[in-house]
Amino acid sequence: MSTMTGSMAVTLGMLTAFFALIVFVLYATNRSAKSFSDYAVGGRSFSSWYIAMSYTNSWWPGATYTAFFGLSVGAGVLGFYALAYSLLGVTAMYLMAERAWLWGKRYDLKTQPDMLGLRFQSQAVRVIASAIGVVCLFPWIVLGMQAMGLIFRFASFGQWSVTTCLVVGVGVIAVRQIWTVQMGMRGLVITDLVQGIVAYGLAALVCLGILFGPADSAGFSAIGDLPKALLHVPGDGGTYGPWYLFSLIVTGVIGSLCWPTSYQRIYTAKGVRSVKKGTLQTMVVAGGFYLMLTLVALAAASMTDIAAAPQDGWFTLLYDRGGQWLLGMALVVVLAASMGWIDGCVQVCGAQIANDIVHVISPRTDFQLKVVAKGSMVVYMLASAIVAYIAFDYPRLQLLAQMSYQGIVQLAVPMFLGMFWKRGTKVAALASMCTGFVVAAVLTWKFPDDMPGLGSLTSGVLALAINLVVYVVLAYLLPHAEQERRRIDELFEAGKSRPEPSLSATH
């Protein structure tokens, strides 16, 4: 950073031009939401490429270019673990797409907790699941806003103070939310397509150019000279035990479908075919992009300035290759990924607070739900912006993020078993979610990384095992009444009927 020089007119101008493009797209495609369903899931009208880009934008945040890039630089091939769990997670979405979408269409489901409430015929399950999702997303929005501060630190070539960079970064995201709050999911999915092309398509091309470019320190030839230390994974010697990598991948695979932002993409599709085709396209886009990025990070790991500050490596490498113009492109890529990801988190949290908490406690009209959702987004944004500013230098904020990941996977047992196993009951669902979340929170606080006494197993995996045992035991000890058994039989039939309901495409 200290060696970078250039014109802020170039870097800030490129960021401003991209932001203006997104606003133009929003106004050019704007349509008034006719109902809360239209506002929350975009009228269930989007084709596969929209689903693919929206899912990718909800999965790879701006931190992919900082934290994940830095992980690959510092820890070597361990960086590929994110690729493994991402592709496995998308595969799981493919397998559950039919039942999830059909239930959503036939019962007008708008969110993940909505589906759980239907399956278990329980408003309490719906509220608890919604609360877990909203709480677990909060630290990630805070981290996303702090990443925005990093963008403006590089855009100003280090001339702006940390406080100024953070205030400007948070301000940009806050201004962007004007359109997210106003237009709901439709505007979000459409801009995800534009942002995704820049954040992942353009970035993949840049990575290919670096890998196949001049044979210097960041090309393919550099990968062949990687130090042996970067070719080992945790558990293959070192301080971590044999269960550490297993825990990371298992938590990632399961978590990829438990995040409300990922699951809600199913409901925005215009049909089962769009969801399934979109998941296959997601594998190509998300997998191809991340593979290229990780290879570039490995190739650059031996560069002195990048090894000294791995999390700044994406910006440092592109500045070294192309000066202020390529640095400006690197910043635009990260801005595109950050905006799409934060927008998705804020939108889905607003929808869940309105639809699955406020509406359950006190039923509202469609108009009132839209007002509540928009108000919730504003409050959520303000709260996360304040925390981002206060905690910018807090060294343990990563602990909250890890805890949120270990917590969100506790939705998995009632969600997956609820969709594919008829025996689970609402008592089992409530007890398993609550037990798993509390155990995960307590253990993560005490063991934020791993539990050395258990072979480096992580707290979320242990809590998930307890969660599963509670669910299965209670399902057998307290079985369904006959009437509930018949209702679930009918529900499962509704999730596999043919032909597929069709909607007229709008995009």
Side-chain angles (χ1 to χ4, degrees):
M1 167 63 72
S2 59
T3 60
M4 290 186 185
T5 58
S7 169
M8 281 194 283
V10 172
T11 51
L12 294 178
M14 293 175 72
L15 292 172
T16 303
F18 178 72
F19 191 88
L21 171 65
I22 295 300
V23 174
F24 170 77
V25 171
L26 283 166
Y27 276 112
T29 59
N30 185 28
R31 283 174 46 187
S32 297
K34 298 175 182 176
S35 65
F36 184 66
S37 282
D38 201 16
Y39 181 78
V41 295
R44 308 182 202 277
S45 60
F46 289 96
S47 59
S48 60
W49 274 113
Y50 285 94
I51 302 304
M53 280 303 190
S54 186
Y55 183 88
T56 306
N57 227 189
S58 71
W59 185 245
W60 293 123
T64 305
Y65 299 91
T66 55
F68 281 83
F69 192 97
L71 174 70
S72 298
V73 169
V77 294
L78 175 63
F80 284 115
Y81 94 92
L83 178 65
Y85 77 67
S86 298
L87 295 182
L88 289 172
V90 176
T91 302
M93 175 180 270
Y94 183 92
L95 298 175
M96 62 189 275
E98 180 172 329
R99 180 160 295 164
W101 191 89
L102 287 172
W103 281 358
K105 167 61 182 169
R106 294 182 173 179
Y107 299 101
D108 193 26
L109 304 181
K110 306 170 188 69
T111 62
Q112 179 192 76
D114 224 359
M115 186 280 288
L116 287 166
L118 169 73
R119 164 61 182 84
F120 296 103
Q121 200 173 28
S122 169
Q123 301 291 42
V125 168
R126 189 172 164 187
V127 171
I128 294 296
S130 179
I132 290 175
V134 171
V135 168
C136 289
L137 277 174
F138 187 80
W140 289 95
I141 297 179
V142 171
L143 291 175
M145 290 188 170
Q146 292 182 339
M148 289 294 296
L150 193 62
I151 290 175
F152 286 96
R153 188 162 70 89
F154 277 92
S156 67
F157 297 95
Q159 295 181 39
W160 290 357
S161 68
V162 169
T163 301
T164 301
C165 293
L166 186 58
V167 168
V168 173
V170 170
V172 168
I173 285 297
V175 170
R176 172 66 180 86
Q177 299 314 304
I178 292 173
W179 293 280
T180 300
V181 171
Q182 180 184 351
M183 300 178 183
M185 184 57 85
R186 184 179 301 280
L188 184 68
V189 175
I190 291 173
T191 53
D192 273 344
L193 182 66
V194 180
Q195 290 163 174
I197 290 171
V198 173
Y200 314 110
L202 179 61
L205 290 177
V206 170
C207 289
L208 283 173
I210 293 173
L211 290 170
F212 289 99
D216 58 12
S217 55
F220 263 123
S221 58
I223 297 178
D225 300 326
L226 276 179
K228 287 186 178 179
L230 298 184
L231 297 176
H232 289 283
V233 295
D236 185 17
T239 58
Y240 287 108
W243 290 105
Y244 187 68
L245 187 59
F246 168 82
S247 298
L248 290 180
I249 294 177
V250 166
T251 307
V253 170
I254 296 174
S256 67
L257 283 177
C258 291
W259 288 110
T261 46
S262 300
Y263 192 89
Q264 197 173 19
R265 297 307 184 266
I266 294 175
Y267 293 147
T268 63
K270 66 180 180 183
V272 173
R273 180 179 172 81
S274 295
V275 180
K276 289 191 170 184
K277 192 175 177 182
T279 56
L280 295 176
Q281 290 164 339
T282 299
M283 291 182 190
V284 176
V285 175
F289 144 76
Y290 189 78
L291 175 64
M292 293 296 106
L293 185 70
T294 304
L295 289 175
V296 166
L298 292 176
S302 58
M303 295 174 67
T304 306
D305 49 352
I306 291 178
Q311 296 204 17
D312 296 344
W314 171 251
F315 304 113
T316 305
L317 178 61
L318 266 66
Y319 177 81
D320 287 347
R321 286 307 184 103
Q324 61 183 358
W325 291 99
L326 210 49
L327 174 63
M329 183 183 294
L331 295 169
V332 168
V333 164
V334 180
L335 176 64
S338 298
M339 280 204 304
W341 191 79
I342 294 176
D343 289 346
C345 291
V346 172
Q347 198 280 339
V348 79
C349 286
Q352 286 197 181
I353 291 171
N355 187 64
D356 304 308
I357 296 178
V358 174
H359 188 56
V360 170
I361 296 171
S362 176
R364 305 284 172 167
T365 65
D366 268 13
F367 175 78
Q368 290 172 328
L369 284 175
K370 282 191 282 185
V371 172
V372 172
K374 292 176 180 180
S376 300
M377 291 181 202
V378 172
V379 172
Y380 204 72
M381 276 293 300
L382 288 175
S384 54
I386 292 170
V387 174
Y389 180 79
I390 294 173
F392 189 75
D393 293 322
Y394 180 48
R396 301 284 286 173
L397 195 61
Q398 183 189 4
L399 176 62
L400 296 179
Q402 288 177 338
M403 188 181 295
S404 73
Y405 220 106
Q406 311 298 353
I408 197 68
V409 297
Q410 306 311 321
L411 294 177
V413 171
M415 190 167 78
F416 293 127
L417 291 190
M419 291 187 72
F420 297 106
W421 188 45
K422 296 180 180 178
R423 196 175 186 103
T425 65
K426 64 181 179 184
V427 174
L430 276 172
S432 66
M433 276 193 300
C434 294
T435 303
F437 188 79
V438 170
V439 170
V442 172
L443 288 179
T444 303
W445 189 260
K446 188 171 179 58
F447 303 100
D449 193 3
D450 67 320
M451 293 181 285
L454 295 177
S456 290
L457 201 68
T458 60
S459 58
V461 174
L462 179 59
L464 191 60
I466 296 171
N467 181 333
L468 176 61
V469 170
V470 170
Y471 185 88
V472 173
V473 169
L474 287 179
Y476 278 103
L477 290 179
L478 301 171
H480 293 299
E482 183 58 31
Q483 183 179 3
E484 176 65 1
R485 188 177 298 116
R486 286 198 298 272
R487 187 191 72 84
I488 293 175
D489 287 340
E490 293 172 1
L491 188 61
F492 272 59
E493 284 302 311
K496 62 182 180 182
S497 300
R498 296 288 192 280
E500 171 188 323
S502 61
L503 290 175
S504 57
T506 56
H507 303 287

